[in-house]
Every structure is written in structure tokens, then in C-alpha cells.
């Protein structure tokens, strides 16, 4: 008997770290980008790749906030999950954490097809911070892991095609799709991910649509990233690849052998010939594993490994659980490489169909076995059958995302069939902007608290410029102007707000960042000290919001003061931090720097000997190693070694 596909709620209990609050300070500094390509490398690239690498790279995280409030203390926590299952496959989806497919089990064999992370541990790998390893993730926005990695998405039931082009009501299948959708804020684009299992199918179907409702073209980015066990052999229909290794050069190379494990983290972007079916597989030594395929719109395929060196091993332990086995990633994207952004024309969309399922094959027979299991022509027909369903209005709502999409729909009066952004999802963060839209005035906060998020798109900036020039409005206007590249005008807006502002520290901090960007580090340090002092006087309690603000501003103030050797002032800031903040790993590292600046080398070394973990250690950076070098010539202890490339003199 064929079991009809159904969707059910479930609770997934894992050892999990708390996400904590977002950083309340607007991210004004330029985006750190590990994947920039040297101009000399572009000469050897295919023309479309070279053009798209230069097309609108992301330069700012605004209006998104940085997520750095998490730690590394894990306890059993219940995560809301949605399970979609037929008699062949069971997919477990986490709608509150980016819609990640955390598990994909082949029921006849009982085997897990993905790398299923036994823990939930955020780390600083997403564009805006918090990211976690494992499963299948949906990356939209810009080069890197999406800012929605640890954010909730909207989810609902939707009728599904049966995979053969039949309408479920006519064919009697009664199948369901799980629809996920949100508004991606870095590029201002709504998107949806439809997941379903045709009756009796060994493959999870995934229909993706990204829409541009605007009257102008928009750069877009999409990569579906799948974590698989590290011991898998990656097979792909290509003989050459573009390799991006620790030296950060993009160069043509042969496709790596099945067991290739370089010493440092490496990407291989496979050069699949035009006209070939798009697929990538990860198989064990018996030839069993996962295959991913798609329609031609998702042209790129990639493999990522952390590398065999101590830094790569440490990252694997850091993101998962020691002893649980490492992982590698197989990925599929809209462009040849992840360094590119593609153009979506005004008032248009891009969509495609993906499939994930089990396969057993010798490496040289993967494409033949895939054709037997999922014929290409039938798969293309399934994509055509799904497209009318992309506009079907959702039924039962299973999870709720943010209210930002509802605000944009309210402003633009967009018609987006299939992805409703209901007014009921508008929340506290959107309320002042909805009032600005309705009345032309940005309301003053009703109570003293850290400022809320700022909207920076041109239409919101225009509204701020015509709103009454209160200090609160000038603060937000300055951020929008800064984002637009009008830095001189942003500084003027913040300076205009200072004389009448009831709360000085947000403005002083913005001005301090501007001073640093202009190279005025002494003045920046002075403003940071004044800002932190003002915040300490204003703080109303030790609740989450104020604690996050004090930690974020305190960290920036300490770094600015130490940079210009104002050691005594840095000590004052350190002593004013809450004890719980001082115990966090990032601040233990800052304490070691402060002690070194005070000439207390033995006490700084004792900080390392006692041990600490910098929870928000950024991929590709080595702040711990840099401080350790100042202590002497001893090798960096393994627990602190996250180096992703050879150390240069």
C-alpha cells in the first residue's frame, strides 16, 4: 500500500546553545569578505563569471542586525520541527532556524542521507553572525551563508502535485507540500521553498522561487548547501573545477580525486559542460549515498572541505561534537561560483526544481543510475507541473516568520500570490516604521531603551528625510545615509541630533565609527569612552536588551581605547562591565590584551592557561593567535588553533 504524503509537527530535542539577543548596534562597518577575487584572476575566468563577480557585491549588512548573543553552553532544548514523510523518505525541517532540512532518512534502509549534527551550536559563519552546521540549508542574499541562517521562516501546508504532472484533487493522491517563505532583507526579495514527496518517490522534491517585485533589476544569490559525512566520495559530471583555496586565488584545476583532503579549507566550483544534466553525489565506499539534481537554472555545483590541518579539525569539533565525525558540503547554485551575483530583471522571477534522494552506483555509473531512478525528462515535467502550484495560497499556517515582509507589502502594495505576508505578523520592530508610512512621522520611543532597527532602502530614506527632524529621526536618517554612501551627510545628521537627544550614546557611537573610518582614532576613542559612560548612566536594568547593548558597546570601546594606548580608560570600561559579560570568551581575550597593555604579561598568560572559548570567532580570522604571539614563542595550543591558511611572517 502506498502511503500518502503527510506533514506533521514534531519536537526535536538536542543539546543546544541559546541564540541570545541580537547586537543592538547598527553594523556600520564594511562587510568582511573572505571571497574577494584579485583583479588579475578575472582575466582567466569565463566572461560571464568575471562580469557577475563584479556585479553588485554586498557592501553592508544593513538593515540586518548582527547575531552574536549566543554562547557555547549547551543543554537539552526542544526545537520545533515539521516532518514530511511518505513510505520511502522522512525529511525533518526546522522552520524556526532558516528552514533547514536537519535530517533526510531513507526509510527502507533506515539510513541517514545527510550529515545530521547531533548538537545545535551557533558560530560566526553567516553573513550576520550566527550559523550552524549540518543538513540542507537555503542560502539567499549574497556571497556567504544567509542572514536568515538562524531566523524563523513562515511555513504552511499547500496542495502538492504528485510528481507526474497530475493535479492531486483529480488524481486522488491528496498530497501536501510544505511551503517555507520569507522576505530577504539584504536584497529586498521575497522567496519561497516548496518541499514535497511524490507518492512512492525516493526523492524529496524542492521547488524554489525568488521574486523581484521592484521596478528595477536586483542582484540575487542562491546556493543550496548540503552537509554529508566527511568520508563520502564526491562525484560530479565535470573534469575541471575552479579552485578557491587558502591563498584566496580563483584558478582552474582538475577535479580533485575522491579522497582529496588538502591541509586547509578549500572550495571547488565544478565546471559542468553546457547541456549536461546538473547533479552532484556523495557516496560511501560501497557506492551508496545521496544524489542532488536540479533543472538547469541551478547551474553551479561545488564541494567544500575544512581540510586535514589542525585548524580545519578544530573547526569541525567547534561546530559539531568531538567524536561525531566530520562533514563536507556539496552545493548547488545559480552561478558557476559563489563569488557571483546574478541579475533578476524588474518585476520578474527565477525558479527551479531540485531533488534529493538515495543512490547506489559506481562513480562512473552515477548518471546512468540517476537517469533510471529519476529520468531527466520526467523531472523536467515535474518542474512544469509544480509551477502552477507556486501561486497556490497556503492552507494551515505551521510557523510564522518576521513581520518585515508584511511591512514591505504594506508599503509597496505588492501582489505576491502564494506567499502572503499578513498584517498580523507586524510586530514591535515594525510598528514605528508602519507609523512613518501612515503619518509621515517617525514616533519617539515610549520608554528609554536601546534604539530599534533602522530601515535603509531608498524609499525609507526618502521618508526619513521628509519627516520632522527629531533626534530619533536624525539618528535613523544618518544610518540610512551612511548606508547609501553619503557619509558626510550622515555625520551631519548625527551631529544635529546631539544637542537635543535624550540619549547620547547611540549617536556618539555612530560618530566614533565614522571617526575610525576617516582615520581619526584618537577622537574615536574619546567618543567611545563618552558613549559607554552615557550608556552606563542610562541603563535601566540588567535585562537582556541593556546587557546586550553594554556588552556590544563595551567591546568596541575597549578595542578603540587599546588601539590608541589609552590603557587606564580601557581599564575603567572593563571594570564597568557586568561580571557575567566579563566571563564571556570574547571578553576574556580582551582582558588578556588589556593585561598585556598594562605590562602584566604573566597574568595575561594565566588567562590562556585557565582556558576560554570565543563563541563568536569569525571564520577566516585569528584574533586568539595574534594575542598569543605577543606572549612568547610557544606554539599555539590546539584548543585555540582555528587557522584556515598558512601563517605568514
Amino acid at each position: 500500500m502506498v502511503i500518502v504524503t503527510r506533514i506533521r509537527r514534531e519536537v526535536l530535542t538536542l543539546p543546544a546553545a541559546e541564540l541570545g539577543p541580537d547586537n543592538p548596534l547598527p553594523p556600520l562597518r564594511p562587510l568582511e569578505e573572505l571571497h574577494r577575487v584579485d583583479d588579475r584572476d578575472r582575466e582567466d575566468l569565463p566572461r560571464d563569471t568575471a562580469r557577475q563577480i563584479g556585479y553588485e557585491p554586498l557592501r553592508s549588512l544593513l538593515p540586518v542586525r548582527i547575531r552574536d548573543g549566543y554562547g557555547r553552553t549547551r543543554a537539552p532544548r526542544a526545537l520545533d520541527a515539521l516532518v514530511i514523510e511518505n513510505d520511502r523518505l522522512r525529511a525533518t525541517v526546522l522552520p524556526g532556524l532558516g528552514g533547514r532540512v536537519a535530517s533526510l532518512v531513507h526509510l527502507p534502509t533506515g539510513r541517514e542521507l545527510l550529515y545530521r549534527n547531533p548538537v545545535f551550536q551557533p558560530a560566526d559563519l553567516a553573513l550576520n553572525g550566527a550559523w550552524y552546521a549540518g543538513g540542507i540549508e537555503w542560502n539567499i542574499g549574497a556571497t556567504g551563508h544567509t542572514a536568515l541562517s538562524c531566523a524563523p521562516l513562515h511555513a504552511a501546508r499547500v496542495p502538492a502535485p504528485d510528481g507526474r504532472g497530475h493535479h492531486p484533487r483529480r488524481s486522488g493522491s491528496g498530497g501536501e507540500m510544505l511551503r517555507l517563505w520569507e522576505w530577504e532583507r539584504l536584497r529586498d526579495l521575497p522567496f519561497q521553498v516548496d518541499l514535497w514527496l511524490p507518492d512512492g518517490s525516493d526523492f524529496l522534491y524542492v521547488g524554489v522561487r525568488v521574486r523581484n517585485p521592484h521596478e528595477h533589476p536586483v542582484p540575487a544569490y542562491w546556493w543550496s548547501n548540503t552537509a554529508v559525512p566527511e568520508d563520502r566520495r564526491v562525484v560530479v559530471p565535470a573534469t575541471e573545477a575552479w579552485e578557491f583555496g587558502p591563498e584566496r586565488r580563483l584558478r582552474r584545476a582538475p577535479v580533485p580525486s575522491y579522497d582529496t583532503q588538502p591541509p586547509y579549507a578549500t572550495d571547488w566550483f565544478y565546471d559542468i559542460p553546457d547541456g549536461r544534466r546538473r547533479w552532484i553525489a556523495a557516496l560511501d565506499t560501497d557506492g551508496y549515498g545521496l544524489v542532488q539534481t536540479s533543472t538547469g537554472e541551478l547551474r553551479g555545483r561545488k564541494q567544500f572541505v575544512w581540510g586535514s590541518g589542525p585548524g580545519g579539525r578544530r573547526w569541525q569539533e567547534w561546530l559539531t561534537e568531538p567524536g561525531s565525525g566530520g562533514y563536507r558540503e556539496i552545493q548547488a547554485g545559480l552561478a558557476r561560483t559563489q563569488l557571483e551575483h546574478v541579475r533578476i530583471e524588474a518585476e520578474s522571477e527565477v525558479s527551479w526544481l531540485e531533488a534529493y534522494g538515495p543512490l547506489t552506483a559506481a562513480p562512473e555509473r552515477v548518471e546512468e543510475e540517476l537517469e533510471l531512478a529519476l529520468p531527466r525528462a520526467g523531472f523536467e515535467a515535474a518542474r512544469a507541473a509544480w509551477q502552477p502550484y507556486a501561486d497556490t495560497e497556503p492552507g494551515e499556517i505551521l510557523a510564522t516568520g518576521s513581520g518585515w515582509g508584511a511591512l514591505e507589502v504594506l508599503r509597496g502594495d505588492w501582489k505576491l500570490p502564494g506567499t502572503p505576508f499578513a498584517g498580523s505578523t507586524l510586530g514591535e520592530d515594525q510598528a514605528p516604521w508602519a507609523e512613518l508610512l501612515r503619518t509621515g512621522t517617525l514616533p519617539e520611543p515610549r520608554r528609554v531603551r536601546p534604539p530599534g532597527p533602522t530601515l535603509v532602502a531608498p524609499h525609507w530614506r526618502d521618508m526619513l528625510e521628509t519627516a520632522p527632524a527629531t533626534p530619533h529621526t536624525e539618528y535613523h536618517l544618518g544610518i540610512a545615509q551612511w548606508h547609501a554612501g553619503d557619509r558626510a551627510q550622515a555625520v551631519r545628521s548625527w551631529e544635529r541630533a546631539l544637542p537635543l537627544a535624550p540619549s547620547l550614546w547611540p549617536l556618539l557611537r555612530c560618530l566614533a565609527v565614522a571617526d575610525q573610518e576617516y582615520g581619526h582614532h584618537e577622537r574615536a576613542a574619546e567618543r567611545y569612552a563618552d558613549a559607554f559612560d552615557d550608556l552606563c548612566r542610562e541603563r535601566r536594568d540588567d535585562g537582556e536588551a541593556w546587557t546586550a547593548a553594554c556588552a556590544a558597546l563595551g567591546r568596541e570601546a575597549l578595542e578603540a581605547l587599546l588601539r590608541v594606548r589609552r590603557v587606564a580608560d580601557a581599564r575603567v570600561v572593563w571594570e564597568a562591565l557586568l561580571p557575567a559579560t566579563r566571563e564571556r570568551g570574547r571578553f576574556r581575550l580582551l582582558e588578556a590584551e588589556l593585561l598585556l597593555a598594562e605590562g602584566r604579561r604573566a597574568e595575561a598568560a594565566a588567562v590562556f592557561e585557565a582556558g576560554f572559548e570565543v563563541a563568536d570567532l569569525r571564520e577566516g580570522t585569528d584574533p586568539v593567535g595574534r594575542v598569543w604571539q605577543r606572549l612568547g614563542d610557544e606554539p599555539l595550543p590546539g584548543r585555540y588553533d582555528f587557522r584556515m591558511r598558512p601563517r605568514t611572517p
Side-chain angles (χ1 to χ4, degrees), residues 2-3 5 85-90 104-108 162-164 196-205 355-358 373-374 379:
V2 174
I3 298 176
T5 301
E85 183 174 20
N86 65 2
D87 57 343
R88 309 294 296 172
L89 283 178
R90 180 174 64 242
L104 185 62
V105 176
H106 185 223
L107 296 174
D162 67 1
R164 294 180 294 275
W196 79 100
L197 293 163
D199 295 343
S201 174
D202 276 327
F203 286 85
L204 173 67
Y205 283 26
Y356 298 79
L374 190 65
F379 188 59

Side-chain angles (χ1 to χ4, degrees), residues 300-358:
R301 292 298 184 275
K302 173 195 162 183
Q303 179 187 180
F304 167 79
V305 295
W306 278 108
S308 61
R313 296 293 92 200
R314 187 71 182 103
W315 270 109
Q316 295 259 23
E317 295 173 353
W318 185 254
L319 295 168
T320 61
E321 183 81 350
S324 63
Y327 72 93
R328 64 181 68 213
E329 291 180 358
I330 57 174
Q331 308 181 12
L334 279 176
R336 184 179 278 109
T337 75
Q338 283 180 328
L339 289 66
E340 304 167 61
H341 298 94
V342 302
R343 178 184 174 109
I344 301 184
E345 298 297 339
E347 300 177 329
S348 68
E349 64 183 50
V350 60
S351 64
W352 61 91
L353 185 62
E354 304 181 46
Y356 298 79

Side-chain angles (χ1 to χ4, degrees), residues 78-397:
L79 305 177
D80 290 334
L82 297 170
V83 175
I84 178 169
E85 183 174 20
N86 65 2
D87 57 343
R88 309 294 296 172
L89 283 178
R90 180 174 64 242
T92 302
V93 180
L94 303 178
L97 294 168
R100 185 81 57 99
V101 180
S103 169
L104 185 62
V105 176
H106 185 223
L107 296 174
T109 62
R111 297 180 70 171
E112 175 65 64
L113 297 176
L114 311 176
Y115 175 79
R116 181 173 181 168
N117 199 336
V119 302
F120 171 69
Q121 177 56 64
D124 191 3
L125 277 81
L127 285 166
N128 63 331
W131 176 87
Y132 62 107
I136 307 171
E137 57 175 303
W138 319 112
N139 288 297
I140 181 173
T143 299
H145 294 286
T146 177
L148 294 165
S149 291
C150 290
L153 305 189
H154 302 282
R157 300 179 194 269
V158 184
D162 67 1
R164 294 180 294 275
H166 299 152
H167 193 292
R169 292 188 181 89
R170 289 196 291 269
S171 65
S173 69
E176 293 181 316
M177 277 194 303
L178 172 61
R179 175 163 298 161
L180 307 168
W181 73 98
E182 242 307 350
W183 195 282
E184 201 288 312
R185 301 179 66 213
L186 293 175
R187 300 300 198 183
D188 245 356
L189 296 174
F191 71 97
Q192 71 190 79
V193 179
D194 289 350
L195 303 99
W196 79 100
L197 293 163
D199 295 343
S201 174
D202 276 327
F203 286 85
L204 173 67
Y205 283 26
V206 181
V208 182
R209 176 167 65 169
V210 181
R211 287 192 275 202
N212 175 15
H214 305 288
E215 296 178 348
H216 54 82
V218 175
Y221 171 95
W222 184 282
W223 281 78
S224 302
N225 292 7
T226 304
V228 295
E230 190 176 36
D231 61 3
R232 297 297 190 263
R233 304 186 301 178
V234 175
V235 188
V236 67
T239 58
E240 290 189 308
W242 294 93
E243 182 181 276
F244 193 78
E247 71 283 1
R248 298 179 184 173
R249 299 289 302 278
L250 191 63
R251 60 189 180 192
R252 189 179 287 277
V255 166
S257 61
Y258 299 137
D259 57 354
T260 296
Q261 187 65 270
Y264 295 97
T266 302
D267 301 319
W268 290 284
F269 301 103
Y270 296 109
D271 199 359
I272 299 175
D274 291 341
R276 288 290 297 271
R277 186 173 186 177
R278 260 49 189 172
W279 58 267
I280 188 168
L283 309 175
D284 64 18
T285 53
D286 295 326
Y288 178 86
L290 174 79
V291 64
Q292 185 272 358
T293 187
S294 73
T295 50
E297 296 84 0
L298 209 63
R299 65 170 299 181
R301 292 298 184 275
K302 173 195 162 183
Q303 179 187 180
F304 167 79
V305 295
W306 278 108
S308 61
R313 296 293 92 200
R314 187 71 182 103
W315 270 109
Q316 295 259 23
E317 295 173 353
W318 185 254
L319 295 168
T320 61
E321 183 81 350
S324 63
Y327 72 93
R328 64 181 68 213
E329 291 180 358
I330 57 174
Q331 308 181 12
L334 279 176
R336 184 179 278 109
T337 75
Q338 283 180 328
L339 289 66
E340 304 167 61
H341 298 94
V342 302
R343 178 184 174 109
I344 301 184
E345 298 297 339
E347 300 177 329
S348 68
E349 64 183 50
V350 60
S351 64
W352 61 91
L353 185 62
E354 304 181 46
Y356 298 79
L359 196 74
T360 301
E364 66 275 9
R365 286 188 49 83
V366 170
E367 190 153 1
E368 294 176 50
E369 295 297 332
L370 173 60
E371 182 63 21
L372 291 172
L374 190 65
R376 185 176 184 180
F379 188 59
E380 294 285 351
R383 182 266 172 88
W386 162 70
Q387 287 220 263
Y389 289 80
D391 282 348
T392 302
E393 289 304 314
E396 179 190 359
I397 301 296

